[in-house]
Amino acid sequence: MITIDDKERETGKELIMILIKAVICMALIYFAIEVPQLYEKYLFLGKLNKACILFLGPSLLVSVLRQVVIFWYIKKHRLKKTVKDNFILGINRVVSILNTAFMALALTTLFSVNPLDLVFSVSIVAAALAVTFKDYITNMINGLIIMFSDRLSLGDHIKLGEYEGKILDITLINMILQNEDSDMVIIPNSVAFSTVIVNQSKQNTKKLSIEFDLSLRHSYTPDFLEEYLEKAIENDADNVVEGGLSIKTIAINKDVAVFKVMVLLKHYDKVKERAVRRLLNTAIIQLASGSAEPEIH
């Protein structure tokens, strides 16, 4: 768990790195203007100096802008220092991509390659690579869209297709969920972007649902089931929204009727949800055993 002290130390290290970058960049600019005799003797040092300036200059500017944007965002939304936010995560990913681009530009300068000639010469190869790695490119774009969206946030509890869990991380390739069994589920961003997502954390309540079958010979009605299951969870009523239990008839077959019980919890809590689910499962098992109205403990 990240504490406030750890976060402040991390921010302090980032500011120190920016200061170091600034000092080095100013020193390199000074040597580029004054041109020491060593540069005239070894021309490669001049190229190296210019390449370092082309990398450190834009990288320094982007790092400062990143700190300003994050500071403004935290103040605007009144976030805690320890909060993990997908907008900040998206900013960090964009900065990483830009630094990679600055490094590529610096290398072309170091080896005296004209960037325009390089672009035109590798355009066909780039097109082939785009086709080959289109899934990765799509995942990266979708990942950035998800990061900068306010619909999903780190820590949200979502249901995505057959998967359900808490968002642990969003990378440029995958979305990582932690399900109820504490397993890590890795979902490609393209799948997450094109699938219907239910964000349960954006609601004021958490819905719990259990589907079950009951034999028709028992003649249990939805009203009876509601009353019976409400009695089953009365010991945990503090965790349940008042009047938040309902029964839905899914299907009536030849021998069994299929029901779904839905319970609205006041907020998402894995431990409390598990307790309510266990009470419901126990009550349903007792009911399916054949007794008209078994005693509930």
Side-chain angles (χ1 to χ4, degrees), residues 7 10-15 17-18 21 58-74 85 87-96 98-99:
K7 196 69 176 178
E10 183 180 343
T11 303
K13 289 179 181 179
E14 291 176 356
L15 294 177
M17 287 301 299
I18 290 175
K21 281 184 181 180
S59 178
L60 176 62
L61 178 62
V62 167
S63 297
V64 173
L65 288 176
R66 171 184 171 275
Q67 290 292 334
V68 172
V69 170
I70 291 177
F71 178 79
W72 165 82
Y73 182 79
I74 290 176
D85 188 86
F87 178 83
I88 297 175
L89 183 64
I91 291 293
N92 292 337
R93 303 297 190 214
V94 171
V95 169
S96 299
L98 290 176
N99 281 331

Side-chain angles (χ1 to χ4, degrees), residues 16 21 34 39 45 48 90 96 107 115-116 119 137 143 145 153 160 163 170 173 188 202 204 224 235-237 248 261:
I16 291 173
K21 281 184 181 180
E34 294 297 327
Y39 282 16
L45 291 178
L48 181 60
S96 299
L107 290 175
L116 293 178
V119 170
I137 296 173
I145 293 174
S153 302
L160 195 156
Y163 304 106
I170 303 172
I173 305 298
K202 298 299 183 183
N204 294 326
F224 168 78
N235 291 334
D236 262 350
K248 182 178 180 181
V261 54

Side-chain angles (χ1 to χ4, degrees), residues 43-271:
L43 297 179
F44 180 76
L45 291 178
K47 290 183 179 179
L48 181 60
N49 183 71
K50 184 178 179 181
C52 290
I53 292 174
L54 284 176
F55 171 72
L56 284 177
S59 178
L60 176 62
L61 178 62
V62 167
S63 297
V64 173
L65 288 176
R66 171 184 171 275
Q67 290 292 334
V68 172
V69 170
I70 291 177
F71 178 79
W72 165 82
Y73 182 79
I74 290 176
K75 288 297 182 181
K76 179 182 177 182
H77 295 275
R78 298 178 180 178
L79 301 177
K80 296 181 179 179
K81 293 183 178 181
T82 55
V83 72
K84 288 185 176 181
D85 188 86
N86 54 324
F87 178 83
I88 297 175
L89 183 64
I91 291 293
N92 292 337
R93 303 297 190 214
V94 171
V95 169
S96 299
I97 293 173
L98 290 176
N99 281 331
T100 303
F102 298 151
M103 177 63 73
L105 180 62
L107 290 175
T108 59
T109 302
L110 180 62
F111 294 104
S112 301
V113 178
N114 189 331
L116 293 178
D117 294 340
L118 182 64
V119 170
F120 287 122
S121 63
V122 301
S123 58
I124 297 177
V125 178
L129 290 175
V131 173
T132 305
F133 297 102
K134 64 178 181 179
D135 291 338
Y136 292 98
I137 296 173
T138 302
N139 279 331
M140 290 176 63
I141 295 173
N142 290 336
L144 289 173
I145 293 174
I146 293 172
M147 290 176 198
F148 288 109
S149 171
D150 60 351
R151 305 301 181 188
L152 295 175
S153 302
L154 294 178
D156 281 357
H157 191 275
I158 67 171
K159 185 174 182 181
L160 195 156
E162 60 181 303
Y163 304 106
E164 182 176 353
K166 182 175 70 173
I167 301 177
L168 292 182
D169 194 10
I170 303 172
T171 68
L172 290 174
I173 305 298
N174 303 307
M175 178 184 294
I176 302 175
L177 302 182
Q178 183 182 39
N179 63 16
E180 293 182 355
D181 298 324
S182 297
D183 297 326
M184 289 181 60
V185 182
I186 301 175
I187 302 172
N189 288 328
S190 58
V191 175
F193 193 77
S194 59
T195 305
V196 175
I197 299 176
V198 179
N199 191 340
Q200 297 170 332
S201 295
K202 298 299 183 183
Q203 305 171 357
N204 294 326
T205 57
K206 166 71 170 68
K207 184 182 294 184
L208 182 157
S209 61
I210 300 174
E211 192 170 313
F212 59 96
D213 301 346
L214 286 176
S215 175
L216 291 178
R217 63 185 177 85
H218 295 310
S219 301
Y220 293 138
T221 64
D223 290 338
F224 168 78
L225 292 175
E226 281 188 9
E227 182 179 352
Y228 172 74
L229 293 177
E230 282 178 354
K231 184 179 178 182
I233 62 173
E234 62 182 1
N235 291 334
D236 262 350
D238 293 340
N239 303 326
V240 180
V241 175
E242 186 177 354
L245 187 147
S246 61
I247 293 289
K248 182 178 180 181
T249 305
I250 304 298
I252 301 177
N253 300 321
K254 180 180 178 182
D255 298 318
V256 298
V258 183
F259 298 99
K260 177 185 283 189
V261 54
M262 292 173 286
V263 181
L264 292 179
L265 304 179
K266 291 182 178 179
H267 54 83
Y268 176 72
D269 187 307
K270 186 183 295 185
V271 176

